[in-house]
Amino acid sequence: MKPFQIFNTLSRTVEEFRPLNPPNVTLYSCGPTVYLPQHLGNMRAFLFVDVLKRALRLAGYRVRHAMNITDVGHMTSDEDAGEDKVERTARAEGKSPREVADYYTELFLHDIDLLRIERPDVLCRATDHIPDMIRLIQRILDNGYAYVRPSGVYFDVEKWRGPSRMGRLSRQSLDEQMAGQRLEHSPDKKSPHDFALWVLNQPHHLMQWDSPWGRGYPGWHIECSAMSMKYLGATIDIHTGGTDHIPVHHENEIAQSESATGRPFVRYFVHNAFLVEKPGVKISKSAGKFPLLSDLVSAGFHPLAFRLFCFGAKYRSELVFSDEAIAAAQKNFEYFAQFARTLGDSEARAAEDSPWAREYRERFVEALGNDLNTPQALAVALELAAEAYRRGDRHVWNTLTEFDSVLGLDLAGLREAARGAEFPPEVARLIEQRRAARSDRNYKLADELRRRLEELGYEVRDTRDSSSYVPKGV
Ligand code: AMP
Ligand code: ZN
């Protein structure tokens, strides 16, 4: 089997993936800024990470994933200028920044659950990590790559980049990076390229904390450096985000982190391309109007149709959003669901699949290992089901459920739900309670319900994603 290959923005090539401590993989993703709902473009970014994570697991890796929630410091410009995004919504809605952040964080979690995006192992909010950021800024200052001014603590970009002044990730010179941006530069900065690590003397800002340099608040970029280091170590294997983060946010994260630790920050930067309204026009919050998952659901689509729609495109290709394309993805979803719902018990319980299915498994794993070629993997999964129908041999359930560990459609759950109608009402009720308990991560209750189901004569089998309930002795 070929090793897992992935495109690394640092080298601009598809590279063999070699984590620092195999089989463990550390993965950090820039998460949502919680001042508006996350639109379907944002969801593409989070779906991409989810599929990457699941594909790595299928390839034998153990992934530890951290994602931040940005609830302070992200200004209306990606640079330091403008207003804090969360505070702007708070003022407009007459709420506190915390209320705004909590509301949109909940909405985000609700949507990722509907899309069956696994919650990260660590989901960390910026405002809970102010002391970590302060300590990191102090290290950067101690190493001589930052300076203090009345308006803030600034990162000294030119000193860091040295004579070439080229960005490692964006491959842009400092002037190119700034071209076309109209910024209100603080006269305090040594150079307009410098960015704020900590902002001081902004009395209108609602969120403020004490620091060794005075009361203030963090710049946007420092949170990701501080939290990735705290939860994943000085050097992480993979860092993800949309391609919009390459020139400023991720370039600055590298500078801050490496100037503090003297060690490489990230081994593989992996960026997803945009979901667009039409070619070249990104779906974005600043456009004012943007499609949400709830819009798709109101229009009668299943949330997982959007999941499969994204799965059907390569993560590095721009993807054009259209109802027709989502409808086509929904057809594929129904096709898999129907296969699962109508599968006989003997096929579903067979310990081994028919030998002809093995080749499909190899092709599926290989497609994902080939720079996460999800359209090809999807085609293999559809072919497997079609071939099973054609042969009249549906002994492929082990293979299909393994594919589903990456597709994420919960085919086993769909099959159980279809069969649920056959359970006695008391058993069906316990099964539903246990499903809810597991999804809430209430494992104590789930174990208690398992015992009761076993007493009623059912064998309970859990996988990471789903459970099956089979009458004992059948
Ligand atoms: P934000 O909440 O704006 O910080 O964005 C959260 C994530 O969504 C980031 O990784 C962005 O790069 C990504 N993102 C934003 N817009 C799009 C889009 N139209 N398509 C794909 N990813 C996006
Ligand atoms: Zn980030």
Side-chain angles (χ1 to χ4, degrees):
M1 187 72 64
K2 272 172 62 182
F4 201 91
Q5 314 257 332
I6 196 81
F7 183 86
N8 190 347
T9 309
L10 283 165
S11 66
R12 298 284 199 280
T13 54
V14 176
E15 290 182 26
E16 190 172 304
F17 177 61
R18 292 174 191 276
L20 208 51
N21 298 306
N24 299 312
V25 174
T26 48
L27 168 65
Y28 183 86
S29 307
C30 292
T33 308
V34 282
Y35 68 108
L36 279 176
Q38 292 288 299
H39 53 58
L40 290 173
N42 301 128
M43 287 302 154
R44 183 185 190 197
F46 303 124
L47 276 166
F48 149 68
V49 183
D50 186 61
V51 171
L52 174 63
K53 194 158 104 177
R54 289 165 178 259
L56 285 168
R57 206 180 284 139
L58 185 68
Y61 293 108
R62 244 197 331 256
V63 184
R64 179 165 163 81
H65 183 208
M67 183 190 277
N68 66 312
I69 302 272
T70 299
D71 56 357
V72 67
H74 195 169
M75 309 311 271
T76 42
S77 147
D78 265 3
E79 301 285 336
D80 304 329
E83 205 181 345
D84 187 300
K85 291 181 174 186
V86 173
E87 293 199 353
R88 190 179 54 172
T89 302
R91 287 200 171 90
E93 296 185 359
K95 294 187 180 141
S96 70
R98 184 67 187 227
E99 282 169 335
V100 169
D102 282 350
Y103 177 79
Y104 289 110
T105 302
E106 276 310 307
L107 209 56
F108 162 70
L109 292 174
H110 175 259
D111 281 3
I112 67 168
D113 287 350
L114 285 179
L115 289 168
R116 295 187 52 77
I117 293 173
E118 281 179 16
R119 294 199 183 186
D121 302 296
V122 180
L123 191 67
C124 36
R125 40 162 113 227
T127 51
D128 289 339
H129 294 78
I130 302 295
D132 301 285
M133 295 186 222
I134 290 174
R135 274 195 297 276
L136 185 59
I137 296 168
Q138 190 60 56
R139 280 174 81 181
I140 301 171
L141 275 167
D142 292 346
N143 291 348
Y145 288 104
Y147 54 92
V148 186
R149 290 281 191 272
S151 63
V153 183
Y154 293 102
F155 190 88
D156 191 335
V157 176
E158 295 191 2
K159 178 162 183 198
W160 169 250
R161 287 205 183 175
S164 88
R165 305 170 87 208
M166 289 297 284
R168 289 240 305 281
L169 199 61
S170 64
R171 301 199 173 174
Q172 288 178 331
S173 70
L174 286 172
D175 291 336
E176 280 168 332
Q177 218 174 296
M178 292 292 158
Q181 299 191 34
R182 263 187 318 114
L183 299 179
E184 304 150 34
H185 293 305
S186 160
D188 272 0
K189 289 186 190 179
K190 278 197 210 166
S191 145
H193 307 127
D194 296 349
F195 58 91
L197 299 169
W198 188 263
V199 184
L200 291 164
N201 292 312
Q202 296 285 334
H204 65 279
H205 202 270
L206 301 172
M207 292 178 275
Q208 306 258 359
W209 293 265
D210 288 328
S211 81
W213 319 287
R215 251 180 111 61
Y217 60 94
W220 169 36
H221 318 293
I222 195 74
E223 65 176 86
C224 289
S225 294
M227 292 191 272
S228 67
M229 258 175 227
K230 174 167 182 153
Y231 294 109
L232 304 174
T235 301
I236 55 180
D237 289 312
I238 306 178
H239 193 318
T240 69
T243 49
D244 51 333
H245 284 341
I246 296 173
V248 179
H249 184 53
H250 288 171
E251 201 75 86
N252 292 352
E253 279 187 36
I254 296 175
Q256 295 163 157
S257 307
E258 298 193 353
S259 66
T261 66
R263 311 239 292 268
F265 174 45
V266 172
R267 291 165 65 80
Y268 301 83
F269 260 107
V270 188
H271 292 102
N272 65 277
F274 292 139
L275 182 69
V276 293
E277 285 170 31
K278 53 185 181 198
V281 182
K282 173 190 172 192
I283 290 178
S284 82
K285 290 181 196 154
S286 52
K289 224 172 120 289
F290 39 80
L292 305 177
L293 187 61
S294 54
D295 297 331
L296 284 188
V297 172
S298 308
F301 290 111
H302 195 289
L304 295 180
F306 183 71
R307 185 175 171 104
L308 265 194
F309 162 70
C310 291
F311 205 95
K314 291 188 184 167
Y315 74 94
R316 285 200 285 134
S317 306
E318 187 174 274
L319 176 58
V320 181
F321 176 76
S322 77
D323 280 1
E324 296 74 45
I326 311 272
Q330 175 131 329
K331 283 220 174 76
N332 284 338
F333 172 63
E334 288 302 338
Y335 183 73
F336 286 124
Q338 189 62 10
F339 189 98
R341 288 185 187 120
T342 57
L343 195 69
D345 280 350
S346 70
E347 286 116 338
R349 268 188 239 134
E352 298 218 5
D353 288 355
S354 292
W356 62 264
R358 199 169 306 138
E359 172 221 339
Y360 288 81
R361 185 190 184 276
E362 282 163 19
R363 284 170 54 206
F364 186 84
V365 173
E366 192 164 320
L368 293 174
N370 180 13
D371 194 23
L372 207 67
N373 190 338
T374 52
Q376 200 176 329
L378 176 61
V380 172
L382 288 166
E383 260 180 57
L384 173 79
E387 181 66 8
Y389 281 128
R390 197 185 66 76
R391 289 179 183 245
D393 171 12
R394 294 218 265 159
H395 284 96
V396 296
W397 188 234
N398 296 301
T399 309
L400 196 58
T401 46
E402 200 178 11
F403 291 1
D404 195 35
S405 70
V406 186
L407 290 168
L409 306 177
D410 189 23
L411 295 180
L414 290 169
R415 180 169 185 278
E416 286 309 321
R419 295 174 78 254
E422 299 160 23
F423 288 117
E426 163 70 0
V427 175
R429 198 173 54 76
L430 291 174
I431 288 174
E432 177 47 30
Q433 282 176 4
R434 188 162 185 274
R435 193 199 54 72
R438 271 172 54 92
S439 117
D440 292 345
R441 299 183 174 201
N442 184 347
Y443 298 116
K444 196 157 167 263
L445 178 60
D447 283 347
E448 167 61 25
L449 291 164
R450 165 199 281 272
R451 269 191 297 281
R452 285 170 57 193
L453 283 156
E454 282 169 352
E455 278 163 22
L456 291 169
Y458 287 83
E459 192 187 323
V460 180
R461 291 185 207 151
D462 291 330
T463 65
R464 189 185 171 97
D465 272 352
S466 60
S467 309
S468 67
Y469 303 91
V470 183
K472 283 183 188 153
V474 174

